[in-house]
Amino acid sequence: MNSLYQNKIALFFLAIAFVVLLFPSLSMAADGVLPAVTVTDNPDGSKTYSATLQILFLMTMLSLLPAGLIMMTSFTRIIIVLAVLRHAIGLAQSPSNQVLIGLALFLTLFVMAPVFEKVNEEAVQPYIANEINLQQAITAGSGPFREFMMNQTRDTDIEAFAKISGTEYIASPEDIPFTLLLPSFVTSELKTAFQIGFMIFLPFLIIDLVVASVLMAMGMMMLSPMMISLPFKLMLFVLVDGWVLIMGTLAASFYV
């Protein structure tokens, strides 16, 4: 434990030294003001932030990346449907949570690939080329995500949250605040996920009912119907190529 603690302290001080060497202006102070922390007003009214503040903003955004991945992409719908599928088949731990999360993550990357490409073309590459500043890059990068979320969000959900927030009039979809669009999108995703999960659950439920009825008619009430129905559900799922159907349907549901 002591050696592990000492290694962590050494890595911490090494990281500090790396930052100081990388940004020497951080270690210089003139009249009590750090020259690296500056905000410059541009002639067009926008502001240009120093490299230190831009790095701080980017690190803050990276810390919010997991929440954004879950709530602003297709990940929520996919992981809920896969969890319902596992429960419908009757398997407690197979596939494991790690496998389900991995499937949901890579299917999310597949579904969101056009959105990521737009963000890269409209925000990331111009920012790297110094054609736009950080604030403009954030505004441009949020456009493709807003378009994707609007296509998946029900109008009734937007109206419900607009009523809760006291927003009386919205002229166009572009005027919808992000704080209003995000909960509306998540609510719509949850509803859609449970609708798909219900349709997946029905054939497996029918198999359970048939097996339970047969066992009761034979007087074998002490035998668990789940033990008998599980092989039949697995056989049905394999025969219809269930994984291809589920993954394909989930991916296609975002482009209908």
Side-chain angles (χ1 to χ4, degrees), residues 42-196:
N42 298 322
D44 58 355
S46 61
K47 296 181 182 296
T48 300
Y49 299 94
S50 62
T52 306
L53 289 178
Q54 293 183 28
I55 292 172
L56 178 62
F57 293 153
L58 289 175
M59 294 302 295
T60 304
M61 293 174 60
L62 287 177
S63 66
L64 298 175
L65 185 61
L69 174 65
I70 295 174
M71 295 302 173
M72 296 174 58
T73 64
S74 57
F75 184 85
T76 301
R77 181 189 304 185
I78 295 171
I79 192 63
I80 290 177
V81 171
L82 293 179
V84 171
L85 171 65
R86 183 175 67 178
H87 185 69
I89 296 176
L91 299 172
Q93 295 296 330
S94 182
S96 63
N97 292 332
Q98 291 84 353
V99 173
L100 290 185
I101 293 175
L103 286 173
L105 179 60
F106 285 106
L107 188 57
T108 299
L109 294 177
F110 173 78
V111 172
M112 299 297 295
V115 178
F116 293 152
E117 290 177 0
K118 280 188 177 181
V119 173
N120 182 57
E121 294 175 359
E122 299 176 6
V124 177
Q125 294 303 323
Y127 176 72
I128 294 176
N130 292 325
E131 297 176 359
I132 58 177
N133 56 35
L134 179 61
Q135 187 175 4
Q136 293 172 336
I138 294 175
T139 303
S142 63
F145 279 98
R146 173 183 288 272
E147 181 181 357
F148 171 80
M149 294 166 68
M150 283 297 304
N151 292 335
Q152 307 301 324
T153 306
R154 294 176 175 83
D155 295 337
T156 54
D157 295 329
I158 296 178
E159 294 173 358
F161 281 97
K163 183 178 180 180
I164 294 173
S165 63
T167 305
E168 297 180 356
Y169 177 74
I170 300 176
S172 63
E174 290 75 14
D175 296 331
I176 299 177
F178 214 80
T179 55
L180 176 62
L181 178 59
L182 183 57
S184 304
F185 170 74
V186 174
T187 304
S188 296
E189 286 295 283
L190 290 174
K191 183 176 181 179
T192 304
F194 279 105
Q195 288 176 342
I196 298 175

Side-chain angles (χ1 to χ4, degrees), residues 187-233:
T187 304
S188 296
E189 286 295 283
L190 290 174
K191 183 176 181 179
T192 304
F194 279 105
Q195 288 176 342
I196 298 175
F198 174 77
M199 299 303 296
I200 293 174
F201 213 107
L202 281 180
F204 299 107
L205 179 62
I206 293 174
I207 294 178
D208 287 333
L209 290 175
V210 171
V211 171
S213 300
V214 171
L215 291 178
M216 186 173 294
M218 296 176 62
M220 304 174 65
M221 292 177 291
M222 299 300 294
L223 183 62
S224 174
M226 291 294 297
M227 185 182 302
I228 306 300
S229 63
L230 180 58
F232 290 99
K233 290 190 287 187

Side-chain angles (χ1 to χ4, degrees), residues 6-38:
Q6 292 174 357
N7 290 336
K8 289 183 178 180
I9 294 178
L11 289 175
F12 176 75
F13 283 108
L14 183 61
I16 293 177
F18 176 78
V19 172
V20 172
L21 291 175
L22 187 60
F23 303 105
S25 57
L26 289 175
S27 59
M28 303 177 185
D31 297 329
V33 178
L34 289 175
V37 183
T38 58

